[in-house]
Amino acid sequence: MAMQPHLLVDDGDVHDIALIPGDPGRVDRIASHCDSAETVAENREYKVVNATYDDRDLTICSTGIGCPSAAIAIEELANVGVETFIRVGTTGALQADVEIGDMIVATGAAKNEGTSKRYEAVEYPAVPDYDVLSGLVDAAEARDEMVHVGPIASDDAYYAETDEYVDDWEAAGLLSVEMEAAAVFSLTRRKGLRAGAICTVDGNLVKGTQKGTDTDDDELPEKAKNNVARAIDIALEAATNL
């Protein structure tokens, strides 16, 4: 397999399991929770780091914002041997009882985006692999962490999420909205690979609240101050068992 044009990785450069945050800065944050880490490549929105956590070798790769760039990351990582993907991201809550600082493990993602539709019909489900999904839930329980488990939405248009969209998602029982999971789930399913997602809640679209905007950090509950770190630890714990 030739060098991948966007991630700049080749066969043998990465491990069989990858944690995939959107933000390149979060790659370093995940790596800081590991026992060792080494940068493999950096290009555009993509940063690739190999790390070891509890004797488990893994790769961390940012996907950038949205399904198009996430699909590129999935395609190229799959080309060089990654078989399991865990999205570690942030999300906006769509239910009033989901609070800033909570964590969500997705059981599926509504395709409010265009990328997966280039691969398959919208009727085909964007769902995680059962082993990865249950691995994330089990890892949370082992750490005495509570997670919401249920369906989410993936949306392309961050600034076009109108009240009508939010009301419809809320009525449908979707827990939250983010921007990558639908493509990650769809592509990995089509390729016979595994994927799951754990996202931390950084705002609530129903309540109109957002971490760091409407609320001072000093006023946030403790779970909202370290929610990203807690989600990282759950994802790494799950990775050791997958």
Side-chain angles (χ1 to χ4, degrees):
M1 181 65 67
M3 175 74 69
Q4 300 303 300
H6 300 91
L7 271 58
L8 304 182
V9 294
D10 206 340
D11 283 328
D13 287 344
V14 298
H15 299 297
D16 64 317
I17 188 166
L19 273 61
I20 50 170
D23 181 2
R26 191 158 295 164
V27 172
D28 293 330
R29 187 164 182 182
I30 295 172
S32 72
H33 288 237
C34 296
D35 304 317
S36 63
E38 179 182 5
T39 299
V40 176
E42 289 186 75
N43 184 47
R44 297 193 178 195
E45 63 263 54
Y46 305 109
K47 181 170 186 176
V48 184
V49 168
N50 281 340
T52 302
Y53 178 83
D54 197 20
D55 295 327
R56 177 58 157 107
D57 293 330
L58 53 90
T59 293
I60 312 162
C61 177
S62 54
T63 65
I65 296 175
C67 286
S69 60
I72 289 172
I74 297 299
E75 292 275 15
E76 296 191 5
L77 288 171
N79 284 343
V80 294
V82 177
E83 298 175 349
T84 302
F85 299 81
I86 301 177
R87 167 158 160 69
V88 186
T90 55
T91 190
L94 295 170
Q95 302 297 320
D97 62 344
V98 179
E99 300 177 345
I100 294 175
D102 286 356
M103 292 177 283
I104 293 172
V105 174
T107 58
K111 295 178 176 178
N112 291 107
E113 42 76 38
T115 302
S116 65
K117 297 166 190 172
R118 294 294 300 273
Y119 286 86
E120 63 185 20
V122 69
E123 291 82 6
Y124 296 172
V127 292
D129 173 81
Y130 176 79
D131 289 338
V132 182
L133 164 63
S134 58
L136 287 166
V137 175
D138 289 347
E141 291 178 351
R143 301 183 69 87
D144 293 323
E145 295 279 8
M146 191 278 289
V147 293
H148 301 275
V149 181
I152 64 174
S154 294
D155 187 40
D156 273 347
Y158 182 88
Y159 287 107
E161 292 169 351
T162 64
D163 291 341
E164 289 76 17
Y165 273 104
V166 172
D167 290 346
D168 191 51
W169 287 329
E170 180 188 15
L174 303 185
L175 297 182
S176 69
V177 58
E178 50 80 82
M179 300 187 72
E180 291 83 28
V184 172
F185 293 166
S186 296
L187 268 66
T188 53
R189 172 177 43 76
R190 294 186 69 85
K191 292 175 176 293
L193 305 174
R194 306 190 300 177
I198 182 168
C199 295
T200 63
V201 175
D202 60 1
N204 189 303
L205 280 69
V206 176
K207 293 181 176 179
T209 57
Q210 185 173 346
K211 181 179 178 181
T213 299
D214 300 40
T215 310
D216 292 332
D217 282 348
D218 290 341
E219 298 174 358
L220 289 169
E222 193 62 35
K223 66 179 178 181
K225 297 177 183 179
N226 64 353
N227 57 334
V228 173
R230 288 159 47 230
I232 289 170
D233 287 337
I234 291 169
L236 287 168
E237 187 72 28
T240 64
N241 297 316
L242 289 170

